[in-house]
Amino acid sequence: NDDLHPIAKVPVVITALAASIYSIWCTYIAFFGGTIPLLGIQLSGGFRTGVFWLFFIDPIMITVCYWFSMVIFVPMMLILAGLKKQNR
């Protein structure tokens, strides 16, 4: 999007990468066992746990990360868009 301020692109990309890496990490733990970081949930692992995590928990987790990032970045983008219009 050409209207997106360059400063706003960096945190959006970093947040998307962080959410993706966290999701992959949690899915790995769901398949092989361990403690889910940040949540502290202990999983014994296994195929059923991993598939459940992959198809039910991961989409919820990604959606919550998306909502959280929109709460933070939409106001920031609106402010930066206003500043960009003032400079034209």
Side-chain angles (χ1 to χ4, degrees):
N1 189 356
D2 293 334
D3 294 336
L4 189 60
H5 196 279
I7 295 174
K9 290 179 185 180
V10 173
V12 170
V13 170
I14 291 171
T15 303
L17 285 172
S20 299
I21 290 168
Y22 183 74
S23 176
I24 291 168
W25 187 7
C26 290
T27 303
Y28 176 84
I29 291 171
F31 274 104
F32 298 104
T35 303
I36 300 293
L38 301 177
L39 300 177
I41 299 171
Q42 180 70 33
L43 298 175
S44 60
F47 182 74
R48 281 187 263 168
T49 306
V51 170
F52 176 77
W53 192 276
L54 185 64
F55 289 109
F56 293 102
I57 305 299
D58 268 349
I60 293 169
M61 197 165 43
I62 294 294
T63 301
V64 169
C65 288
Y66 171 77
W67 289 340
F68 179 72
S69 66
M70 288 299 106
V71 165
I72 293 171
F73 295 125
V74 167
M76 184 178 79
M77 288 180 208
L78 292 173
I79 290 169
L80 291 172
L83 294 174
K84 190 175 179 181
K85 284 183 181 181
Q86 287 179 352
N87 291 336
R88 287 185 184 178

